[in-house]
Amino acid sequence: MRTLKHSRQRESIKNCLMQRTDHPTADMLYLSIREEFPNISLGTVYRNLKLLSELGEITRFSCGDGSEHFDYRTEPHYHFICKTCGAVYDMPAEIVRDTSELLTAQPPGRVDSHTVFFYGECKTCQQKKS
Amino acid sequence: MRTLKHSRQRESIKNCLMQRTDHPTADMLYLSIREEFPNISLGTVYRNLKLLSELGEITRFSCGDGSEHFDYRTEPHYHFICKTCGAVYDMPAEIVRDTSELLTAQPPGRVDSHTVFFYGECKTCQQKKS
DNA sequence: GTCCCTGCAAATCCTTTGCACTCCT
DNA sequence: AGGAGTGCAAAGGATTTGCAGGGAC
């Protein structure tokens, strides 16, 4: 296991992600962080987001728009992603039946917090169509 | 609404996807279909997969490995994706509490079949680590 | 001093697109 | 004939990576 050293850039990326609730992409985050670190590079943002998600400190997910989105929430919750407008809503964890069932079910495994995604169409978009 | 014309290539892509249970990527599908249509191009595969998913005939999803995966199953079911080995398992729809709850819950919407994803670690990978 | 981390730019990977031509209907 | 669909290659966008210099311990 590699030893991490402190880095102001990484710290800033974590803080920035913690403060936002909009599940930003790497590029959106990059634009924000540039206000504090005008010289930070996009590569550094990507490198740290990858590192943090491998450490399990953040979650990454695709919402079908071609780029990855990131999330820092620490309480267990799931996501609802509207395929029409791209909006991302947080969902209560209780919507899924006891996940320990998964351990004994035939497709086996442990489900990580933050990593359950529902894709569909949100009410707002449904109403626009009718 | 545009009018579809028959195409042997598209037919072959659909058949191929129907016969497989491994949730292939565009490239994996391309390699298979080349055996029947040696001249088919990757662009055609992408074009048709995009078309079919827009028509709702197939589902596309990301499993964190950088490329999109496709699925043709018609019965409602969900996916469990192992973040360690990348395996994709089909999950029974009953694992989620009545999705009509979603219609009245505060983050609103209709969840599409095939579009619920659980990410975690499968039993096999868990055991390898212990 | 050592080794991790950064900025920069080039490279890579996946997916989409423009164009001329072919195949349906 | 008309317009979708195709193959090919180039373009586009997102993410990763190599390298030389800077910073943490």
Side-chain angles (χ1 to χ4, degrees):
Chain A
M1 188 67 186
R2 106 211 262 185
T3 319
L4 284 191
K5 285 184 180 173
H6 180 262
S7 122
R8 297 193 296 147
Q9 288 89 334
R10 183 160 55 236
E11 208 55 39
S12 169
I13 290 167
K14 283 173 63 169
N15 285 333
C16 195
L17 199 49
M18 242 183 285
Q19 285 160 21
R20 307 178 62 145
T21 58
D22 62 343
H23 313 85
T25 62
D27 197 67
M28 291 161 73
L29 230 26
Y30 169 64
L31 293 175
S32 274
I33 291 165
R34 273 179 100 178
E35 293 173 12
E36 189 186 353
F37 293 87
N39 291 325
I40 200 171
S41 78
L42 189 52
T44 297
V45 175
Y46 272 109
R47 243 182 317 234
N48 280 298
L49 288 172
K50 190 179 184 186
L51 178 61
L52 290 169
S53 70
E54 281 165 0
L55 291 173
E57 294 197 38
I58 65 177
T59 306
R60 65 191 301 162
F61 63 92
S62 154
C63 69
D65 65 353
S67 51
E68 298 281 301
H69 290 243
F70 297 87
D71 186 22
Y72 199 133
R73 309 295 296 289
T74 47
E75 325 84 59
H77 71 283
Y78 302 141
H79 294 98
F80 174 91
I81 297 154
C82 177
K83 286 195 157 183
T84 304
C85 70
V88 181
Y89 301 86
D90 289 337
M91 299 289 290
E94 303 80 61
I95 199 148
V96 176
R97 292 188 199 285
D98 185 357
T99 50
S100 65
E101 282 184 21
L102 292 173
L103 292 167
T104 50
Q106 125 274 347
R110 160 183 52 76
V111 169
D112 298 327
S113 308
H114 312 282
T115 56
V116 180
F117 300 101
F118 299 84
Y119 291 84
E121 185 164 60
C122 71
K123 275 185 183 166
T124 311
C125 288
Q126 285 177 343
Q127 284 164 1
K128 277 183 188 163
K129 284 187 180 168
S130 59
Chain B
M1 189 64 187
R2 107 210 260 185
T3 320
L4 284 191
K5 287 186 179 172
H6 181 261
S7 122
R8 297 191 297 147
Q9 287 88 335
R10 182 160 54 238
E11 208 55 39
S12 169
I13 290 168
K14 285 174 63 171
N15 285 332
C16 196
L17 199 50
M18 242 184 285
Q19 285 161 20
R20 306 177 64 143
T21 58
D22 62 344
H23 313 86
T25 62
D27 197 67
M28 289 161 73
L29 230 26
Y30 169 63
L31 293 176
S32 274
I33 292 165
R34 273 179 102 179
E35 293 173 12
E36 190 186 352
F37 293 86
N39 292 325
I40 200 171
S41 78
L42 189 52
T44 296
V45 175
Y46 273 108
R47 242 180 320 232
N48 279 298
L49 288 172
K50 188 179 186 185
L51 177 62
L52 291 169
S53 69
E54 281 164 2
L55 291 174
E57 293 197 38
I58 65 176
T59 306
R60 65 190 299 161
F61 63 93
S62 153
C63 69
D65 65 353
S67 53
E68 298 282 300
H69 289 244
F70 297 87
D71 187 20
Y72 200 135
R73 308 295 295 288
T74 47
E75 325 83 58
H77 70 283
Y78 302 141
H79 294 99
F80 174 91
I81 296 156
C82 178
K83 284 194 158 183
T84 304
C85 71
V88 182
Y89 300 87
D90 289 336
M91 299 288 291
E94 302 82 60
I95 196 133
V96 175
R97 291 187 200 286
D98 185 356
T99 51
S100 64
E101 281 184 24
L102 291 173
L103 292 167
T104 51
Q106 125 275 349
R110 160 182 53 75
V111 169
D112 298 327
S113 308
H114 312 283
T115 56
V116 180
F117 301 101
F118 299 85
Y119 291 84
E121 186 165 57
C122 70
K123 275 184 183 168
T124 311
C125 288
Q126 285 178 343
Q127 285 165 0
K128 277 184 189 162
K129 284 186 179 167
S130 59

